[in-house]
Amino acid sequence: MGIKHSVSYQSGENMAKKTDEELYDVAINMIGSVAKLPVIRVDREAFLRQQFAGSEYLDEILEHGPQHVYTAESLRRKADGLIKKSTNQTTLAAFVAGIPGGPAAVAAGGADVAQYFGFAINLAQKIAYLFGEDDLFTDESELNEGAKVRVLVYLGVMLGASGSAMLVGKLAREVGKNMGKKITQQALTKTTWYPLLKKIGAMVGKRVVKESVGKAVAKVVPVVGGAISGAITYATFKPMGGRLADVLVRNLNGEFDETGMELRPEFKKANTADADTEVTIHAIEIDD
């Protein structure tokens, strides 16, 4: 029921009229609705136990993440096998079985869209946990704002959104350490990278709307529609998973660290002036 409400069919004309803010909301709402399905969620500990069942370092892996034990390059090779297996297992039948209401929900509209992005979110979790990312889910039935944003960025990377790779590193440092699980939409708007995040969200939101329009035709013949969906998923998910794995390798190797980055002269000058003003004000307060 949540899927039908959030992932609605819309015409190309309506999509053209939507602002970036509205498209961002479309993406965030889709993530929130799809993530409610148990079949989409990946239990981090259970997943890591299964992936590293034969490892003598399993305890360290569960506590600190696989990246604490293995090199980024070896994890990337393992990710290839994971992506291939997940892609092969991605079938319409398996997904429909997990939707409340079963096959009837497909006819209601929106299931194909939820399927596409649901599989993407499921795969993103597995790849993220393989590279040491924190658990996205708590005991709550809904994703918190911080988790939705992390999923949004993962999807942005998978879909090739410009700038999304850099945000993976940003989120790992700033959201994870400073905001934690209490991140709110209001807190996000105050970050310097929020405009980029909004652009990525708009791109994902536009893709959601586009998929909704395209999938509507396949609804006429459900059996054929299912075959089409499976073929599209198989063709697109392998490169999508590869993009995310590559970015997470780069993140582990410190490529997104700000050390060594030069500031633009105009930006540096403006911020130096602001700092001097703060020092002057502070000095006046002390003198008083």
Side-chain angles (χ1 to χ4, degrees):
M1 182 169 63
I3 296 175
K4 181 182 176 184
H5 174 73
S6 298
V7 188
S8 57
Y9 294 95
Q10 304 183 48
S11 68
E13 183 180 353
N14 286 338
M15 180 174 69
K17 292 179 179 179
K18 284 188 175 296
T19 65
D20 281 358
E21 195 70 44
E22 289 172 328
L23 288 169
Y24 175 91
D25 289 340
V26 166
I28 288 293
N29 290 337
M30 176 277 295
I31 291 169
S33 293
V34 172
K36 292 178 182 178
L37 299 174
V39 72
I40 297 304
R41 298 189 175 209
V42 177
D43 183 292
R44 178 182 176 275
E45 181 174 337
F47 169 73
L48 292 179
R49 284 186 180 280
Q50 187 269 328
Q51 290 294 313
F52 299 95
S55 175
E56 60 182 300
Y57 309 111
L58 182 59
D59 290 340
E60 287 87 349
I61 290 171
L62 294 176
E63 183 175 357
H64 303 292
Q67 85 293 345
H68 182 73
V69 176
Y70 301 105
T71 64
E73 290 69 29
S74 64
L75 291 175
R76 180 63 182 86
R77 291 193 293 272
K78 190 171 183 64
D80 281 336
L82 174 67
I83 293 166
K84 182 178 180 180
K85 183 178 180 180
S86 293
T87 302
N88 289 336
Q89 291 177 339
T90 299
T91 62
L92 180 61
F95 183 81
V96 170
I99 298 178
V106 177
D112 265 357
V113 180
Q115 173 202 1
Y116 185 87
F117 289 98
F119 285 148
I121 293 171
N122 180 271
L123 179 58
Q125 291 171 78
K126 292 175 181 177
I127 297 173
Y129 297 155
L130 190 63
F131 286 93
E133 296 287 296
D134 293 334
D135 202 337
L136 279 164
F137 293 95
T138 62
D139 294 332
E140 301 173 1
S141 60
E142 297 188 12
L143 282 179
N144 60 54
E145 198 69 27
K148 289 179 185 177
V149 168
R150 284 174 59 193
V151 171
L152 178 64
V153 173
Y154 294 154
L155 289 177
V157 171
M158 295 172 85
L159 294 172
S162 177
S164 53
M166 181 272 290
L167 273 189
V168 168
K170 281 284 189 182
L171 287 167
R173 289 190 300 273
E174 298 185 26
V175 175
K177 295 178 181 178
N178 301 328
M179 298 180 185
K181 297 178 180 179
K182 296 181 180 180
I183 183 172
T184 63
Q185 181 67 18
Q186 185 177 9
L188 280 174
T189 60
K190 295 179 180 179
T191 61
T192 57
W193 40 264
Y194 177 70
L196 175 57
L197 178 64
K198 189 168 69 171
K199 286 291 183 183
I200 294 169
M203 182 268 196
V204 175
K206 187 178 293 185
R207 186 68 178 268
V208 172
V209 176
K210 182 179 179 181
E211 288 290 327
S212 298
V213 175
K215 298 289 187 180
V217 179
K219 288 299 170 193
V220 180
V221 185
V223 176
V224 175
I228 293 173
S229 297
I232 292 174
T233 299
Y234 187 86
T236 60
F237 270 47
K238 187 174 181 180
M240 285 170 63
R243 287 189 199 106
L244 181 56
D246 287 341
V247 165
L248 290 173
V249 167
R250 292 168 60 193
N251 189 47
L252 285 183
N253 288 334
E255 290 190 31
F256 301 119
D257 291 346
E258 294 180 355
T259 305
M261 296 284 287
E262 293 184 8
L263 298 176
R264 291 176 60 240
E266 299 87 349
F267 181 83
K268 185 175 182 180
K269 182 178 179 181
N271 280 269
T272 301
D274 290 342
D276 290 342
T277 301
E278 289 179 8
V279 171
T280 302
I281 293 174
H282 185 59
I284 292 173
E285 290 176 348
I286 292 176
D287 291 340
D288 290 344

